[in-house]
Amino acid sequence: MQQELKIYNTLSREKEVFTPISAPYVGMYVCGPTVYSDVHLGNCRTFTAFDIMYRYLLHSGYKVRYVRNITDVGHLVGDADEGEDKIGKKAKLENLEPMEIAQRYTTDFHRVMEKLNNLPPSIEPSATGHILEQIELVQTLLEKGLAYEINGSVYFDVRKYNEGNDYGKLSGRVLDELMAGAGTRELDGQEEKRDSIDFALWKKASPEHIMRWDSPWGVGFPGWHLECSVMSNKYLGKTFDIHGGGMDLKFPHHECEIAQGTAANGQDPVKYWMHTNMLTINGQRMGKSVGNAVLPNELFTGSHDLLDQAYSPMTLRFFMLQTHYRSTMDLSNEALKAASKGYLKLMNGLRTAQKLTYVEEEGVEINEKAAKQVESIVNGIYRGMNDDLNTAVAIAGLFNLLKKINSVHLGQLKPAELGKELFDKMINTLQVFTTEVLGLKEEKPSGFEKMLGLVLKEYKVAKEAKDYGKVDEIRANCKELGIAIKDMKDKIDWAYDEQI
């Protein structure tokens, strides 16, 4: 069932009702990682936010083509117009082929995404796999008079483009101010540009530059901004629905993409621009220079000095979903511990819901008050997601739904008081939103249920024998492992210990 989804469009600076371009699918492009270093937590937040977008569009009945690129060439320092390609630089330092570096970090990136339960994209193209198409786009821009070649390098003519367009409309920058600001900088290679704000489409390779390709302008390599324009156009068309990334990419990267796409095709390349906000740690911006950068695997193992303990991938995912994607998210031990508790509570609720079955009872009438409450909660979950993917509101709704499910589990509310249709809707909403939309899953080792079954059997024997020392020992050992033993009226059960 397709929902009336409103999303904040960075371009219009307003929430807009999502109306897809007429196509067999919704086209979504997200700027992927630059594979010369480890994926960081800020990346994790961005890719998880767009994983939620992907999941919710699928849940809402849309066909989606999700493209996420791999940047394995052309990402230099500053404005991507000077310096040394970072993959090539690392390859020299480690005496490896550049593609060995790219493959290593691409593999690591995929491992982290898998741990976070992010779905793979429909297509994951790489910059090096589309060199010919990038050369073709440069030629097109040259033919249209919106680019110029100097000494084997090709630059985009921003001033010429701005005569009939608005360079800066995404980021809110004013061209005259950009020109004045850029003019004060002294960067290697900037003197050959007509204007300092112009950006590289193709750069002539220096003799020591490893990653290089033949082109009509000589041996060189593509500029950073070029790859996304080429790959999004190839796989999603001249204009597509959604382009996403971190807010740090708004300028210059996404601004340049708009300029390239509009200049080449005469139309805006993207209908909806979406950007995630930054991640801080203990109130400070995270970064290597200040010594507070935490990598995902450091979080999962607890090996960073700023961490009190290890936090699981699903704890991190739950933590990220508690904050709206456009808001700043602050990482701290206190926040992560609270997220762990909330995640385990939701997993316990999911286990409870999966055990419940509808029982028809004669003489039991519909409890109108409870039924209206359940309907209101379910509708509220959808309202949260439809309001610019507000996962925090959706999670709050799921916890309210858990209260009703626990009432049924404890016998305080009979399934028949809701009616079969609403009872099924309540259970299904919890299950589908938790696992399919929010992408949360139980983190259990192989054979967990069988091993725990043996422990509970031993616990039952000790309890029946009134060996309370053994009972207490088993309970304590289980608690250390994050498991709480539950003595029910008719059986012995377990739950994740939410107090760890």
Side-chain angles (χ1 to χ4, degrees):
M1 180 180 67
Q2 293 181 358
Q3 303 287 319
E4 186 178 277
L5 169 63
K6 289 185 178 181
I7 56 177
Y8 183 85
N9 190 347
T10 307
L11 191 60
S12 67
R13 295 164 180 76
E14 294 180 353
K15 288 183 184 178
E16 300 179 11
V17 175
F18 178 65
T19 308
I21 296 169
S22 179
Y25 51 78
V26 171
M28 184 170 80
Y29 187 95
V30 176
C31 290
T34 304
V35 286
Y36 64 86
S37 63
D38 295 301
V39 60
H40 56 75
L41 289 178
N43 296 142
C44 292
R45 186 191 188 189
T46 294
F47 300 131
T48 300
F50 287 103
D51 180 65
I52 297 297
M53 183 70 178
Y54 183 33
R55 288 171 177 272
Y56 192 60
L57 288 172
L58 292 174
H59 172 73
S60 299
Y62 293 103
K63 292 181 179 179
V64 185
R65 178 177 287 177
Y66 174 20
V67 181
R68 185 182 68 203
N69 71 299
I70 296 291
T71 297
D72 55 1
V73 67
H75 194 163
L76 310 183
V77 297
D79 294 334
D81 284 358
E82 77 285 341
E84 188 173 10
D85 184 284
K86 293 180 180 180
I87 295 174
K89 182 178 181 179
K90 204 171 189 76
K92 286 180 181 178
L93 288 173
E94 298 188 26
N95 195 27
L96 296 171
E97 283 291 326
M99 284 299 100
E100 286 185 84
I101 299 295
Q103 185 62 52
R104 178 205 300 172
Y105 288 110
T106 299
T107 300
D108 288 344
F109 167 70
H110 288 154
R111 285 172 180 161
V112 172
M113 291 300 100
E114 186 177 355
K115 287 179 180 179
L116 289 172
N117 203 30
N118 285 338
L119 298 175
S122 312
I123 304 172
E124 192 172 56
S126 67
T128 54
H130 296 77
I131 297 296
L132 291 178
E133 292 93 334
Q134 292 180 74
I135 290 173
E136 289 173 3
L137 178 55
V138 175
Q139 289 175 314
T140 297
L141 294 173
L142 283 167
E143 291 168 4
K144 289 179 176 287
L146 290 167
Y148 56 92
E149 185 264 333
I150 294 181
N151 300 325
S153 294
V154 182
Y155 296 96
F156 188 89
D157 193 332
V158 173
R159 189 185 294 276
K160 180 73 173 177
Y161 168 80
N162 208 56
E163 291 175 1
N165 299 280
D166 182 12
Y167 183 83
K169 65 181 181 179
L170 180 69
S171 59
R173 310 289 181 100
V174 178
L175 184 60
D176 289 342
E177 294 176 359
L178 288 171
M179 300 288 287
T184 63
R185 301 169 62 198
E186 296 182 2
L187 297 173
D188 293 339
Q190 295 280 27
E191 65 275 3
E192 71 180 12
K193 299 180 183 181
R194 291 178 183 171
D195 280 310
S196 54
I197 193 62
D198 294 347
F199 57 90
L201 298 170
W202 187 266
K203 286 290 290 182
K204 179 181 179 180
S206 60
E208 67 274 8
H209 201 97
I210 299 177
M211 304 185 80
R212 53 174 59 213
W213 291 266
D214 290 330
S215 80
W217 319 285
V219 177
F221 54 93
W224 171 34
H225 313 305
L226 197 64
E227 63 180 277
C228 289
S229 290
V230 162
M231 290 185 281
S232 62
N233 182 81
K234 179 173 182 176
Y235 298 110
L236 298 176
K238 295 179 179 179
T239 299
F240 57 95
D241 295 291
I242 300 168
H243 195 316
M247 65 180 298
D248 57 312
L249 296 180
K250 278 196 293 185
F251 187 87
H253 187 50
H254 290 163
E255 201 75 72
C256 294
E257 279 191 65
I258 290 176
Q260 290 169 162
T262 303
N265 300 315
Q267 58 195 68
D268 278 338
V270 179
K271 188 172 182 180
Y272 302 95
W273 285 91
M274 299 176 68
H275 294 90
T276 57
N277 211 323
M278 64 188 296
L279 173 69
T280 60
I281 181 164
N282 297 321
Q284 291 184 313
R285 184 162 187 168
M286 187 179 292
K288 292 181 180 179
S289 60
V290 292
N292 66 353
V294 180
L295 297 176
N297 285 326
E298 290 177 324
L299 190 84
F300 302 153
T301 60
S303 59
H304 197 283
D305 290 341
L306 292 176
L307 300 174
D308 292 345
Q309 63 183 63
Y311 300 97
S312 73
M314 287 300 99
T315 293
L316 176 60
R317 186 178 182 94
F318 185 88
F319 165 72
M320 292 189 290
L321 298 181
Q322 287 180 299
T323 304
H324 190 268
Y325 75 88
R326 285 193 293 112
S327 299
T328 302
M329 184 176 71
D330 189 56
L331 189 81
S332 68
N333 282 289
E334 292 73 19
L336 287 167
K337 288 173 183 176
S340 178
K341 182 177 179 179
Y343 160 70
L344 293 174
K345 184 175 182 179
L346 192 55
M347 290 301 102
N348 283 333
L350 186 62
R351 291 186 65 251
T352 298
Q354 291 168 342
K355 295 175 185 177
L356 297 178
T357 56
Y358 183 80
V359 179
E360 193 72 62
E361 296 184 55
E362 292 186 12
V364 176
E365 297 181 353
I366 297 295
N367 184 327
E368 295 292 345
K369 181 179 179 180
K372 287 181 180 178
Q373 289 173 338
V374 171
E375 283 282 8
S376 178
I377 293 169
V378 171
N379 292 336
I381 293 169
Y382 276 98
R383 278 197 304 273
M385 291 300 293
N386 290 334
D387 183 15
D388 196 27
L389 301 177
N390 198 326
T391 52
V393 170
I395 287 174
L398 291 177
F399 281 125
N400 286 331
L401 207 58
L402 278 184
K403 294 177 182 177
K404 294 301 178 186
I405 289 171
N406 285 330
S407 294
V408 174
H409 176 60
L410 297 173
Q412 299 166 349
L413 178 67
K414 296 180 179 180
E417 291 183 83
L418 297 175
K420 189 175 189 313
E421 183 178 349
L422 185 56
F423 174 83
D424 290 343
K425 185 177 184 179
M426 176 179 71
I427 301 298
N428 185 64
T429 298
L430 180 74
Q431 292 178 330
V432 168
F433 264 86
T434 300
T435 61
E436 295 181 18
V437 177
L438 299 183
L440 295 164
K441 63 180 182 179
E442 284 191 85
E443 295 174 311
K444 295 187 295 187
S446 178
F448 172 82
E449 296 276 7
K450 185 176 181 180
M451 290 186 290
L452 189 55
L454 294 173
V455 172
L456 293 183
K457 186 175 180 181
E458 184 179 357
Y459 176 86
K460 182 180 179 182
V461 170
K463 187 176 179 183
E464 290 174 348
K466 297 184 179 181
D467 185 352
Y468 298 118
K470 186 69 172 178
V471 167
D472 291 341
E473 180 185 356
I474 295 173
R475 291 182 72 92
N477 288 337
C478 286
K479 186 174 180 63
E480 287 183 10
L481 297 173
I483 300 297
I485 295 178
K486 301 289 187 180
D487 291 310
M488 311 297 287
K489 287 182 179 180
D490 56 345
K491 64 178 180 177
I492 296 169
D493 205 352
W494 67 274
Y496 295 108
D497 189 352
E498 300 166 16
Q499 305 305 317
I500 59 172

PDB file of all heavy atoms in Angstrom, residues 471-491:
ATOM      1  N   VAL A 471      20.062 -23.159  41.418  1.00  0.00           N
ATOM      2  CA  VAL A 471      19.141 -22.259  40.727  1.00  0.00           C
ATOM      3  C   VAL A 471      19.744 -20.861  40.621  1.00  0.00           C
ATOM      4  O   VAL A 471      19.776 -20.256  39.544  1.00  0.00           O
ATOM      5  CB  VAL A 471      17.779 -22.207  41.464  1.00  0.00           C
ATOM      6  CG1 VAL A 471      16.946 -21.029  40.930  1.00  0.00           C
ATOM      7  CG2 VAL A 471      17.020 -23.508  41.277  1.00  0.00           C
ATOM      8  N   ASP A 472      20.237 -20.363  41.750  1.00  0.00           N
ATOM      9  CA  ASP A 472      20.827 -19.024  41.758  1.00  0.00           C
ATOM     10  C   ASP A 472      22.077 -18.946  40.886  1.00  0.00           C
ATOM     11  O   ASP A 472      22.326 -17.938  40.215  1.00  0.00           O
ATOM     12  CB  ASP A 472      21.178 -18.612  43.193  1.00  0.00           C
ATOM     13  CG  ASP A 472      19.935 -18.384  44.046  1.00  0.00           C
ATOM     14  OD1 ASP A 472      18.850 -18.195  43.461  1.00  0.00           O
ATOM     15  OD2 ASP A 472      20.054 -18.386  45.277  1.00  0.00           O
ATOM     16  N   GLU A 473      22.857 -20.018  40.882  1.00  0.00           N
ATOM     17  CA  GLU A 473      24.070 -20.046  40.073  1.00  0.00           C
ATOM     18  C   GLU A 473      23.749 -19.970  38.583  1.00  0.00           C
ATOM     19  O   GLU A 473      24.372 -19.227  37.831  1.00  0.00           O
ATOM     20  CB  GLU A 473      24.870 -21.318  40.370  1.00  0.00           C
ATOM     21  CG  GLU A 473      26.163 -21.425  39.569  1.00  0.00           C
ATOM     22  CD  GLU A 473      26.877 -22.747  39.792  1.00  0.00           C
ATOM     23  OE1 GLU A 473      26.417 -23.556  40.630  1.00  0.00           O
ATOM     24  OE2 GLU A 473      27.891 -22.982  39.112  1.00  0.00           O
ATOM     25  N   ILE A 474      22.757 -20.747  38.158  1.00  0.00           N
ATOM     26  CA  ILE A 474      22.363 -20.749  36.745  1.00  0.00           C
ATOM     27  C   ILE A 474      21.814 -19.390  36.346  1.00  0.00           C
ATOM     28  O   ILE A 474      22.139 -18.848  35.278  1.00  0.00           O
ATOM     29  CB  ILE A 474      21.338 -21.873  36.466  1.00  0.00           C
ATOM     30  CG1 ILE A 474      21.983 -23.240  36.676  1.00  0.00           C
ATOM     31  CG2 ILE A 474      20.782 -21.749  35.052  1.00  0.00           C
ATOM     32  CD1 ILE A 474      21.014 -24.394  36.580  1.00  0.00           C
ATOM     33  N   ARG A 475      20.978 -18.799  37.203  1.00  0.00           N
ATOM     34  CA  ARG A 475      20.405 -17.489  36.906  1.00  0.00           C
ATOM     35  C   ARG A 475      21.511 -16.434  36.769  1.00  0.00           C
ATOM     36  O   ARG A 475      21.493 -15.604  35.853  1.00  0.00           O
ATOM     37  CB  ARG A 475      19.416 -17.067  37.994  1.00  0.00           C
ATOM     38  CG  ARG A 475      18.135 -17.887  38.047  1.00  0.00           C
ATOM     39  CD  ARG A 475      17.194 -17.358  39.131  1.00  0.00           C
ATOM     40  NE  ARG A 475      16.627 -16.076  38.712  1.00  0.00           N
ATOM     41  CZ  ARG A 475      15.474 -15.966  38.058  1.00  0.00           C
ATOM     42  NH1 ARG A 475      14.776 -17.049  37.742  1.00  0.00           N
ATOM     43  NH2 ARG A 475      15.026 -14.786  37.719  1.00  0.00           N
ATOM     44  N   ALA A 476      22.484 -16.491  37.696  1.00  0.00           N
ATOM     45  CA  ALA A 476      23.577 -15.517  37.675  1.00  0.00           C
ATOM     46  C   ALA A 476      24.448 -15.672  36.431  1.00  0.00           C
ATOM     47  O   ALA A 476      24.843 -14.687  35.796  1.00  0.00           O
ATOM     48  CB  ALA A 476      24.423 -15.668  38.940  1.00  0.00           C
ATOM     49  N   ASN A 477      24.749 -16.923  36.069  1.00  0.00           N
ATOM     50  CA  ASN A 477      25.559 -17.175  34.877  1.00  0.00           C
ATOM     51  C   ASN A 477      24.847 -16.699  33.616  1.00  0.00           C
ATOM     52  O   ASN A 477      25.469 -16.129  32.703  1.00  0.00           O
ATOM     53  CB  ASN A 477      25.899 -18.658  34.767  1.00  0.00           C
ATOM     54  CG  ASN A 477      26.912 -19.100  35.809  1.00  0.00           C
ATOM     55  OD1 ASN A 477      27.670 -18.282  36.332  1.00  0.00           O
ATOM     56  ND2 ASN A 477      26.937 -20.393  36.121  1.00  0.00           N
ATOM     57  N   CYS A 478      23.558 -16.943  33.554  1.00  0.00           N
ATOM     58  CA  CYS A 478      22.778 -16.497  32.393  1.00  0.00           C
ATOM     59  C   CYS A 478      22.740 -14.972  32.327  1.00  0.00           C
ATOM     60  O   CYS A 478      22.831 -14.379  31.242  1.00  0.00           O
ATOM     61  CB  CYS A 478      21.353 -17.060  32.448  1.00  0.00           C
ATOM     62  SG  CYS A 478      21.250 -18.819  32.043  1.00  0.00           S
ATOM     63  N   LYS A 479      22.610 -14.334  33.477  1.00  0.00           N
ATOM     64  CA  LYS A 479      22.563 -12.873  33.507  1.00  0.00           C
ATOM     65  C   LYS A 479      23.859 -12.274  32.978  1.00  0.00           C
ATOM     66  O   LYS A 479      23.847 -11.261  32.267  1.00  0.00           O
ATOM     67  CB  LYS A 479      22.290 -12.387  34.927  1.00  0.00           C
ATOM     68  CG  LYS A 479      22.069 -10.874  35.040  1.00  0.00           C
ATOM     69  CD  LYS A 479      21.672 -10.467  36.440  1.00  0.00           C
ATOM     70  CE  LYS A 479      21.461  -8.947  36.531  1.00  0.00           C
ATOM     71  NZ  LYS A 479      20.341  -8.499  35.672  1.00  0.00           N
ATOM     72  N   GLU A 480      24.985 -12.899  33.315  1.00  0.00           N
ATOM     73  CA  GLU A 480      26.270 -12.429  32.806  1.00  0.00           C
ATOM     74  C   GLU A 480      26.327 -12.487  31.280  1.00  0.00           C
ATOM     75  O   GLU A 480      27.040 -11.710  30.646  1.00  0.00           O
ATOM     76  CB  GLU A 480      27.413 -13.256  33.395  1.00  0.00           C
ATOM     77  CG  GLU A 480      27.710 -12.960  34.868  1.00  0.00           C
ATOM     78  CD  GLU A 480      28.908 -13.751  35.379  1.00  0.00           C
ATOM     79  OE1 GLU A 480      29.604 -14.366  34.533  1.00  0.00           O
ATOM     80  OE2 GLU A 480      29.135 -13.764  36.592  1.00  0.00           O
ATOM     81  N   LEU A 481      25.573 -13.412  30.708  1.00  0.00           N
ATOM     82  CA  LEU A 481      25.531 -13.570  29.253  1.00  0.00           C
ATOM     83  C   LEU A 481      24.417 -12.770  28.612  1.00  0.00           C
ATOM     84  O   LEU A 481      24.161 -12.882  27.405  1.00  0.00           O
ATOM     85  CB  LEU A 481      25.376 -15.054  28.897  1.00  0.00           C
ATOM     86  CG  LEU A 481      26.532 -15.958  29.336  1.00  0.00           C
ATOM     87  CD1 LEU A 481      26.175 -17.419  29.078  1.00  0.00           C
ATOM     88  CD2 LEU A 481      27.822 -15.589  28.624  1.00  0.00           C
ATOM     89  N   GLY A 482      23.712 -11.956  29.444  1.00  0.00           N
ATOM     90  CA  GLY A 482      22.657 -11.109  28.912  1.00  0.00           C
ATOM     91  C   GLY A 482      21.306 -11.788  28.796  1.00  0.00           C
ATOM     92  O   GLY A 482      20.442 -11.318  28.057  1.00  0.00           O
ATOM     93  N   ILE A 483      21.117 -12.898  29.520  1.00  0.00           N
ATOM     94  CA  ILE A 483      19.863 -13.652  29.458  1.00  0.00           C
ATOM     95  C   ILE A 483      19.186 -13.640  30.836  1.00  0.00           C
ATOM     96  O   ILE A 483      19.824 -13.915  31.850  1.00  0.00           O
ATOM     97  CB  ILE A 483      20.101 -15.114  29.020  1.00  0.00           C
ATOM     98  CG1 ILE A 483      20.738 -15.148  27.633  1.00  0.00           C
ATOM     99  CG2 ILE A 483      18.819 -15.928  29.066  1.00  0.00           C
ATOM    100  CD1 ILE A 483      19.866 -14.561  26.542  1.00  0.00           C
ATOM    101  N   ALA A 484      17.911 -13.316  30.857  1.00  0.00           N
ATOM    102  CA  ALA A 484      17.124 -13.336  32.092  1.00  0.00           C
ATOM    103  C   ALA A 484      16.178 -14.535  32.050  1.00  0.00           C
ATOM    104  O   ALA A 484      15.422 -14.709  31.094  1.00  0.00           O
ATOM    105  CB  ALA A 484      16.332 -12.046  32.245  1.00  0.00           C
ATOM    106  N   ILE A 485      16.251 -15.399  33.072  1.00  0.00           N
ATOM    107  CA  ILE A 485      15.353 -16.560  33.151  1.00  0.00           C
ATOM    108  C   ILE A 485      14.026 -16.111  33.754  1.00  0.00           C
ATOM    109  O   ILE A 485      13.985 -15.401  34.761  1.00  0.00           O
ATOM    110  CB  ILE A 485      15.980 -17.684  33.988  1.00  0.00           C
ATOM    111  CG1 ILE A 485      17.242 -18.212  33.286  1.00  0.00           C
ATOM    112  CG2 ILE A 485      14.989 -18.823  34.224  1.00  0.00           C
ATOM    113  CD1 ILE A 485      17.966 -19.288  34.042  1.00  0.00           C
ATOM    114  N   LYS A 486      12.924 -16.519  33.129  1.00  0.00           N
ATOM    115  CA  LYS A 486      11.581 -16.111  33.545  1.00  0.00           C
ATOM    116  C   LYS A 486      10.817 -17.324  34.088  1.00  0.00           C
ATOM    117  O   LYS A 486      10.613 -18.307  33.364  1.00  0.00           O
ATOM    118  CB  LYS A 486      10.820 -15.516  32.353  1.00  0.00           C
ATOM    119  CG  LYS A 486      11.492 -14.304  31.710  1.00  0.00           C
ATOM    120  CD  LYS A 486      11.413 -13.077  32.598  1.00  0.00           C
ATOM    121  CE  LYS A 486      11.939 -11.852  31.878  1.00  0.00           C
ATOM    122  NZ  LYS A 486      11.874 -10.640  32.720  1.00  0.00           N
ATOM    123  N   ASP A 487      10.401 -17.270  35.357  1.00  0.00           N
ATOM    124  CA  ASP A 487       9.566 -18.318  35.952  1.00  0.00           C
ATOM    125  C   ASP A 487       8.104 -17.985  35.702  1.00  0.00           C
ATOM    126  O   ASP A 487       7.516 -17.144  36.381  1.00  0.00           O
ATOM    127  CB  ASP A 487       9.840 -18.421  37.460  1.00  0.00           C
ATOM    128  CG  ASP A 487      11.226 -18.966  37.759  1.00  0.00           C
ATOM    129  OD1 ASP A 487      11.572 -20.003  37.194  1.00  0.00           O
ATOM    130  OD2 ASP A 487      11.959 -18.328  38.536  1.00  0.00           O
ATOM    131  N   MET A 488       7.517 -18.629  34.687  1.00  0.00           N
ATOM    132  CA  MET A 488       6.114 -18.400  34.346  1.00  0.00           C
ATOM    133  C   MET A 488       5.232 -19.374  35.126  1.00  0.00           C
ATOM    134  O   MET A 488       5.724 -20.323  35.761  1.00  0.00           O
ATOM    135  CB  MET A 488       5.911 -18.584  32.839  1.00  0.00           C
ATOM    136  CG  MET A 488       6.920 -17.828  31.972  1.00  0.00           C
ATOM    137  SD  MET A 488       6.842 -16.033  32.150  1.00  0.00           S
ATOM    138  CE  MET A 488       5.307 -15.717  31.266  1.00  0.00           C
ATOM    139  N   LYS A 489       3.930 -19.179  35.057  1.00  0.00           N
ATOM    140  CA  LYS A 489       2.989 -20.033  35.787  1.00  0.00           C
ATOM    141  C   LYS A 489       3.069 -21.484  35.316  1.00  0.00           C
ATOM    142  O   LYS A 489       3.038 -22.410  36.113  1.00  0.00           O
ATOM    143  CB  LYS A 489       1.562 -19.516  35.605  1.00  0.00           C
ATOM    144  CG  LYS A 489       1.266 -18.229  36.378  1.00  0.00           C
ATOM    145  CD  LYS A 489      -0.186 -17.831  36.180  1.00  0.00           C
ATOM    146  CE  LYS A 489      -0.507 -16.558  36.965  1.00  0.00           C
ATOM    147  NZ  LYS A 489      -1.921 -16.142  36.785  1.00  0.00           N
ATOM    148  N   ASP A 490       3.163 -21.634  33.984  1.00  0.00           N
ATOM    149  CA  ASP A 490       3.093 -22.987  33.433  1.00  0.00           C
ATOM    150  C   ASP A 490       4.383 -23.455  32.770  1.00  0.00           C
ATOM    151  O   ASP A 490       4.440 -24.564  32.230  1.00  0.00           O
ATOM    152  CB  ASP A 490       1.940 -23.073  32.420  1.00  0.00           C
ATOM    153  CG  ASP A 490       2.075 -22.028  31.326  1.00  0.00           C
ATOM    154  OD1 ASP A 490       2.872 -21.089  31.502  1.00  0.00           O
ATOM    155  OD2 ASP A 490       1.385 -22.146  30.297  1.00  0.00           O
ATOM    156  N   LYS A 491       5.404 -22.613  32.781  1.00  0.00           N
ATOM    157  CA  LYS A 491       6.656 -23.016  32.136  1.00  0.00           C
ATOM    158  C   LYS A 491       7.794 -22.091  32.559  1.00  0.00           C
ATOM    159  O   LYS A 491       7.590 -21.083  33.238  1.00  0.00           O
ATOM    160  CB  LYS A 491       6.509 -22.973  30.609  1.00  0.00           C
ATOM    161  CG  LYS A 491       6.249 -21.585  30.053  1.00  0.00           C
ATOM    162  CD  LYS A 491       6.178 -21.625  28.542  1.00  0.00           C
ATOM    163  CE  LYS A 491       5.926 -20.221  27.973  1.00  0.00           C
ATOM    164  NZ  LYS A 491       5.915 -20.219  26.501  1.00  0.00           N
TER     165      LYS A 491
END
